[in-house]
Amino acid sequence: MNASLESLPATLQALIGQGVDAIDTPALVVDLDAAGRNLQRMAEFAARHRLRLRPHAKMHKSAAFAHLQLQAGAVGLCTQTVAEAEALAAAGIDDLFISNQVVAPAKLQRVAALAALLAARGGRLAIAVDSEGGIARLARAMQDSTTAIDVFVEVDIGQGRCGVAPGQPVLGLVRTLTAQAPALRYAGLHAYHGGAQHLRTAAERRAAIGQSAELLRRTVALLDAAELAPPLITGAGTGTFACEAASGLWSEIQPGSFLFMDADYARNERDPAQPAFEPALFIKSQVISVAADHAVCDAGHKSHAIDSGGPSVHALPGQPSLEAHNGGDEASILRPVAMAGGRLPALGDTVWLIPGHCDPTVNLHNQLIAVRGGLQDGCVDAVEPVLARGVW
């Protein structure tokens, strides 16, 4: 991992090679050893099941981690916004899928320009659609380009968000799409059930994806009968990818959070069909106040997202077991876990928080501080910028 030192403020440049104690708080820290083990386990799973691995970069928003994933065997990366795709393309990533709907003319012009840029260097851009209007707008944006763009029809298999209904609506949309050839190239179906990822028991997740797979299987049968068989079906997330793999329908998976994990995924019962992943993303914080029954650390809502619940506390050997509670924008309140002895940290102690949701937590920070050798005795290996923060 080699972020350009010249692009970093002097205070961050000075961190490279120093121990973790030198990292000021609050800071977003990646345990590279843990992330590497997670990546290896996912890559081995994909290879063993003969699945294409296309991790979602909206989680880490980092060129360095995108390149690590490609080196481990990923075929490309997913992004959720045009800006994320542009940032990764500028960093040398050549195979990208914008797994979302884009309908604004200005953004679609950027999509067309990005497709041409990637094609010129032997790469590829793909995008999702879920309406005739979306197809028409994309076709207009591509009409002056000599480059084709790969297009996936998004199917709502249970999420209730974007996507066309399974069955005949998909068939109709695929027919509309293929009529726009050669500028728009029918690449297959995008089928992702985000709502299933955090169902707590493995049985619940298997049941949800089983229902999704049945809807998808009937849709594929319709397409097959119309000689419009999808070249590829892509989807799946960190919570369910083994279920999609077992169905035999999906040939490409898009998990993202597996690389870093978070406190909310830790609340899931593990499916034994999936590898075990470990937390690799942390907020380093410091105890700034201690009272009789609680302590306060300097990492609040501005440091970690709370949409999926608050952070958990990662206790290193010899440290007290703590629970983190809402303390507002700039702080978290720490209370001891009674069954673990009820001990509080001391003023100035380091406390490592595991954010509740990794994706929006990363989006709150300008950089990821990558540590090798562990959180206790490790050293700063790199400081990587968070690319395309914000929305579009």
Side-chain angles (χ1 to χ4, degrees):
M1 308 195 78
N2 296 298
S4 172
L5 289 178
E6 294 76 15
S7 66
L8 296 173
T11 53
L12 293 177
Q13 292 183 36
L15 280 179
I16 308 298
Q18 293 200 59
V20 292
D21 288 346
I23 302 171
D24 201 1
T25 59
L28 189 63
V29 176
V30 178
D31 181 336
L32 283 178
D33 302 302
R37 290 188 290 271
N38 290 342
L39 179 55
Q40 180 180 3
R41 291 164 189 155
M42 179 61 80
E44 289 173 350
F45 178 94
R48 187 165 62 251
H49 291 83
R50 298 183 180 180
L51 293 165
R52 292 162 53 94
L53 175 60
R54 183 178 294 276
H56 220 304
K58 73 180 176 70
M59 189 278 292
H60 54 69
K61 293 177 178 284
S62 159
F65 283 104
H67 282 292
L68 283 178
Q69 290 174 319
L70 291 173
Q71 291 164 14
V75 297
L77 279 296
C78 287
T79 73
Q80 201 70 354
T81 70
V82 179
E84 289 170 354
E86 289 170 329
L88 288 180
I93 307 300
D94 290 335
D95 194 323
L96 294 165
F97 171 37
I98 302 172
S99 56
N100 199 7
Q101 314 306 311
V102 180
V103 299
K107 292 189 184 75
L108 287 170
Q109 288 299 321
R110 289 160 57 193
V111 167
L114 183 57
L117 171 70
L118 292 178
R121 62 193 204 202
R124 165 184 178 267
L125 181 66
I127 195 167
V129 297
D130 73 350
S131 67
E132 291 189 358
I135 292 171
R137 289 173 180 231
L138 179 60
R140 282 196 295 273
M142 298 295 298
Q143 65 186 359
D144 295 327
S145 176
T146 58
T147 302
I149 186 169
D150 282 356
V151 183
F152 288 87
V153 170
E154 182 166 2
V155 189
D156 181 1
I157 55 170
Q159 170 78 352
R161 192 171 58 188
C162 293
V164 66
Q168 288 291 340
V170 173
L171 176 58
L173 207 57
V174 169
R175 283 177 169 149
T176 300
L177 173 60
T178 54
Q180 296 292 338
L184 308 188
R185 186 165 47 218
Y186 171 42
L189 303 180
H190 176 220
Y192 171 68
H193 190 344
Q197 304 310 308
H198 292 279
L199 296 174
R200 290 307 179 207
T201 70
E204 287 176 305
R205 298 194 298 277
R206 286 194 293 266
I209 298 304
Q211 293 171 2
S212 297
E214 184 56 31
L215 294 172
L216 194 57
R217 188 171 284 108
R218 295 173 188 172
T219 301
V220 170
L222 280 175
L223 293 169
D224 287 347
E227 298 184 349
L228 291 169
L232 181 74
I233 298 178
T234 183
T238 294
T240 66
F241 63 85
C243 303
E244 282 90 348
S247 75
L249 289 169
W250 282 262
S251 48
E252 182 176 274
I253 55 173
Q254 306 171 0
S257 297
F258 77 92
L259 186 65
F260 289 168
M261 296 302 284
D262 54 39
D264 197 43
Y265 265 117
R267 297 178 188 116
N268 279 1
E269 175 193 18
R270 180 177 160 249
D271 186 337
Q274 298 197 169
F277 300 113
E278 54 193 291
L281 183 73
F282 303 90
I283 306 294
K284 184 189 178 189
S285 69
Q286 184 180 48
V287 175
I288 58 174
S289 178
V290 180
D293 63 349
H294 71 273
V296 179
C297 69
D298 60 354
H301 301 166
K302 291 181 182 177
S303 300
H304 53 79
I306 59 172
D307 61 301
S308 296
S312 62
V313 180
H314 182 70
L316 295 174
Q319 292 184 339
S321 295
L322 303 167
E323 294 176 340
H325 299 269
N326 185 352
D329 290 353
E330 309 291 353
S332 290
I333 296 170
L334 307 171
R335 293 193 172 93
V337 177
M339 291 183 297
R343 187 161 59 93
L344 283 169
L347 191 71
D349 279 0
T350 293
V351 175
W352 296 93
L353 303 178
I354 302 172
H357 189 181
C358 50
D359 302 30
T361 293
V362 171
N363 197 55
L364 293 170
H365 293 260
N366 291 322
Q367 59 272 325
L368 295 152
I369 299 175
V371 169
R372 199 174 292 283
L375 300 181
Q376 209 157 19
D377 302 313
C379 294
V380 177
D381 182 83
V383 180
E384 298 296 338
V386 175
L387 302 177
R389 286 185 61 203
V391 185
W392 284 97

